[in-house]
């Protein structure tokens, strides 16, 4: 395969378009997908270019072989293994055999809309940088497989409540995985000093934007505020975040602002002017320009597309 440059932060839809893979399986109106990789005509052996996603993913490998690399760590794909990744570093993947490999992806907006605002409290492993793949017992793989079949069945339907149902099933799946694999998992203790700084920053970012969106806070944190909260020099914090995640602090803040804006816009009872001020913009026009620059449509158009 011809080598391409690194692909910047992508939705799964954008990623597969960039990798010249089929996209007809995707429903782009919601931040959720599920499908079996055997439905995609990969030309094996397949090697991806480097990319950095903006979505969470679970890979349930029943039968298949390949390799996954992130942050200079490489993991071999094994049967009956479960892989979890979140929006973070650049990564690559390769496949030599695909028989039965189910991929589930979802973004933060989907999580908060259909599962709840406390997703990171209930599922702290979602915040970590790298979770090693887990080979699980046959009985547990079959248990989560049954849930995945239900999710896949709902995803294929065209009903008004399908994503609400999927959200409930996904929550069950996350709880099952948490109890079986990460029951005592606490990401704050994971890894080296730099990893702990990244995880602490993500937690502060999450809590601050939760307070902003609920109206409990009315001042948007600057880089200096995050540095102060972590008792670090802002230049050092910026350097750690950039080197560990591939994104600078302003990019993290912008992406978080966009995620919260999308969540708030899906609530038709909150005026756009109020959302503007909640997210720290002084003028609605400034908020509109920001949203359109990243999302491609105005806040009004985005809201209408989710309440049609």
């Amino acid at each position: 395969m011809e080598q391409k440059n690194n692909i910047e932060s992508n939705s799964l839809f954008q990623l597969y378009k960039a990798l010249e893979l089929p996209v007809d399986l995707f429903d782009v109106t919601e931040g959720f997908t599920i499908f079996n990789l055997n439905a995609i005509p990969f030309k094996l052996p397949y090697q991806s270019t480097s990319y950095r996603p903006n979505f969470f993913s679970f890979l349930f490998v029943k039968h298949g072989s390949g390799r996954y690399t992130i942050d200079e760590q490489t993991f071999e794909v094994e049967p009956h293994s479960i892989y979890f990744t979140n929006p973070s570093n650049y990564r690559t993947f390769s496949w030599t055999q695909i028989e039965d490999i189910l991929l589930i992806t979802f973004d933060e907006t989907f999580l908060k809309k259909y599962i709840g605002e406390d997703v990171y409290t209930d599922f702290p492993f979602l915040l970590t940088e790298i979770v090693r793949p887990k080979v699980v017992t046959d009985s547990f793989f079959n248990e989560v497989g049954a849930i995945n079949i239900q999710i896949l069945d709902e995803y294929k339907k065209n009903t008004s409540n399908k994503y609400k149902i999927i959200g409930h099933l996904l929550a069950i799946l996350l709880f099952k995985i948490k109890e079986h694999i990460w029951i005592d998992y606490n990401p704050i203790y994971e890894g080296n000093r730099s990893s702990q700084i990244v995880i602490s920053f993500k937690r502060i970012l999450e809590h601050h934007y939760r307070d902003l969106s609920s109206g409990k806070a009315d001042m948007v944190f600057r880089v200096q505020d995050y540095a102060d909260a972590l008792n670090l020099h802002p230049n050092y914090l910026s350097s750690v975040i950039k080197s560990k995640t591939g994104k600078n602090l302003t990019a993290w803040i912008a992406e978080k602002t966009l995620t919260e804006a999308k969540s708030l816009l899906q609530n038709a009872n909150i005026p756009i002017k109020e959302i503007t001020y909640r997210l720290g913009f002084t003028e609605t026009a400034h908020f509109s320009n920001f949203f359109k620059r990243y999302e491609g449509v105005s806040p009004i158009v985005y809201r209408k597309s989710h309440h049609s």
Side-chain angles (χ1 to χ4, degrees), residues 160-205:
S160 59
N161 290 317
K162 85 174 196 178
Y163 286 110
K164 291 180 181 178
I165 296 171
I166 287 172
H168 285 293
L169 290 170
L170 180 60
I172 294 170
L173 181 64
L174 291 175
F175 275 117
K176 289 287 185 182
I177 289 173
K178 175 185 175 182
E179 289 176 359
H180 188 85
I181 300 177
W182 294 298
I183 186 169
D184 297 319
Y185 181 78
N186 186 341
I188 206 67
Y189 298 118
E190 181 197 85
N192 57 27
R193 171 64 173 157
S194 295
S195 294
Q196 291 177 18
I197 289 172
V198 172
I199 293 162
S200 296
F201 165 71
K202 288 181 182 179
R203 282 189 161 179
I204 294 170
L205 185 74

Side-chain angles (χ1 to χ4, degrees), residues 196-247:
Q196 291 177 18
I197 289 172
V198 172
I199 293 162
S200 296
F201 165 71
K202 288 181 182 179
R203 282 189 161 179
I204 294 170
L205 185 74
E206 164 63 23
H207 286 304
H208 176 58
Y209 272 83
R210 187 187 302 178
D211 287 345
L212 280 174
S213 64
S214 65
K216 293 180 182 177
D218 56 9
M219 292 285 289
V220 174
F221 276 4
R222 303 160 300 161
V223 172
Q224 182 68 56
D225 296 313
Y226 288 105
D228 289 345
L230 292 166
N231 295 314
L232 298 171
H233 191 281
N235 291 346
Y236 177 68
L237 175 61
S238 297
S239 175
V240 168
I241 298 299
K242 175 66 175 178
S243 64
K244 291 290 290 182
T245 71
K247 293 186 292 186

Side-chain angles (χ1 to χ4, degrees), residues 80 136-143:
H80 279 205
V136 299
T137 62
D138 290 356
S139 60
F140 182 72
F141 197 90
N142 291 335
E143 185 178 356

Side-chain angles (χ1 to χ4, degrees), residues 4-50:
K4 301 181 181 71
N5 293 329
N6 285 348
I7 301 169
E8 287 302 317
S9 182
N10 284 281
S11 68
L12 192 66
F13 178 76
Q14 292 168 327
L15 169 65
Y16 272 66
K17 284 186 68 176
L19 296 178
E20 299 176 357
L21 297 173
V23 295
D24 56 322
L25 295 170
F26 292 87
D27 180 349
V28 297
T29 61
E30 296 282 357
F32 179 90
T33 66
I34 177 172
F35 54 88
N36 201 304
L37 295 188
N38 62 22
I40 297 177
F42 285 104
K43 184 178 180 181
L44 301 177
Y46 179 83
Q47 173 66 55
S48 80
T49 53
S50 180

